[in-house]
Amino acid sequence: MSGQSTRRVALGLGFAAGVGALVGCASSTGSGAAGDAATSSPAPSEPTVTTPEQAITRRTNGAARFTAGGPLRPDQSVAYRTSLAAGQHPFAVILSCADSRVPPEIVFDQGLGDLFVTRTAGQVVDHAVLGSIQYGIAELKIPLIVVLGHEKCGAVKATIEAVEKKSPAAGNDIDALVAAIKPAVEEEAATKPADLVDAVVRKNVANVVAALAKKPILSAAVTAGSLQIVGARYDLDAGTVEFLS
Ligand SMILES: [Zn+2]
């Protein structure tokens, strides 16, 4: 635990424990959550992940199982569910589109306690999303963030249409989605790609990854080697997750 404590101090994250108490979140750094689970509860289906590389392997393996039609649907028993009340150790933050066809736990074939998920249309971020993600890294020591866009994203299509028609703002909260995706549309439209929707999907993922990487808490963890932030695109037809460079 000394390593985790050192990392928390290095990141200047004293606030995180307070946030955890405030929102009632179970913390991985509580009083021996892992030990409690190990002595009295069923073990998780896979070893605990502690590094970005291990997280990438587990994520990739789970996605491959789902694509092949042979998901394990791990760690969803009543006994395992009960054991998680002692604490959580998710191995990846997933920031994905809210689209009903892209549920991260299913696409990556993971179970309870595995993924720390935030979802918005077009996987755009606001302060609440950014705070949630940084909480996951600071307090739960999660080693991987995946920004997951997808084929034929409706939020991307709607933003392209709004830009092409020069539609005025609607004056409601949906404007926030359009404003967030619009830079990717403008950048990609200028290159006249064969498939503008798909080009914007990929660019929007890249923009969100870049935005996350600028956050001091996240950049410090990346520099320390304890975190990787990657983009990905889910193909609705093939059921595959393509990891973007
Ligand atoms: Zn979408």
Side-chain angles (χ1 to χ4, degrees):
M1 284 298 172
S2 60
Q4 291 184 339
S5 299
T6 300
R7 176 141 54 106
R8 179 190 290 184
V9 170
L11 294 173
L13 302 174
F15 79 95
V19 172
L22 185 65
V23 301
C25 294
S27 166
S28 69
T29 56
S31 56
D36 295 344
T39 56
S40 60
S41 305
S45 60
E46 298 189 61
T48 300
V49 165
T50 58
T51 69
E53 292 76 19
Q54 292 169 343
I56 288 171
T57 298
R58 184 161 168 185
R59 170 209 69 181
T60 303
N61 290 345
R65 292 196 300 270
F66 171 74
T67 302
L72 297 176
R73 300 186 180 89
D75 303 334
Q76 296 173 36
S77 68
V78 171
Y80 190 71
R81 182 189 71 202
T82 303
S83 76
L84 283 179
Q88 60 170 323
H89 299 274
F91 73 89
V93 168
I94 309 294
L95 169 58
S96 77
C97 183
D99 192 295
S100 64
R101 300 164 293 181
V102 195
E105 286 86 352
I106 293 177
V107 168
F108 291 110
D109 192 29
Q110 300 300 320
L112 294 168
D114 290 332
L115 303 178
F116 192 85
V117 177
T118 58
R119 302 184 68 179
T120 61
Q123 72 278 347
V124 303
V125 297
D126 61 10
H127 287 299
V129 171
L130 290 170
S132 299
I133 292 173
Q134 289 170 88
Y135 170 82
I137 304 308
E139 180 67 6
L140 302 178
K141 316 302 179 193
I142 300 171
L144 179 66
I145 299 173
V146 178
V147 178
L148 181 63
H150 67 96
E151 180 190 18
K152 301 174 185 173
C153 180
V156 166
K157 288 181 179 178
T159 302
I160 290 172
E161 184 175 327
V163 170
E164 290 180 340
K165 293 183 177 179
K166 296 183 171 56
S167 302
N172 57 39
D173 291 328
I174 297 175
D175 288 340
L177 305 177
V178 174
I181 299 171
K182 187 176 180 180
V185 174
E186 293 175 335
E187 289 176 71
E188 290 304 311
T191 70
K192 302 188 185 309
D195 186 339
L196 179 59
V197 172
D198 198 57
V200 175
V201 164
R202 292 168 185 271
K203 185 63 179 179
N204 186 47
V205 166
N207 287 352
V208 174
V209 169
L212 294 178
K214 291 178 182 175
K215 295 297 171 183
I217 288 174
L218 305 183
S219 65
V222 169
T223 300
S226 60
L227 173 69
Q228 285 191 25
I229 308 172
V230 299
R233 170 191 174 278
Y234 177 68
D235 189 293
L236 295 173
D237 300 301
T240 51
V241 179
E242 173 190 0
F243 294 99
L244 309 175
S245 58

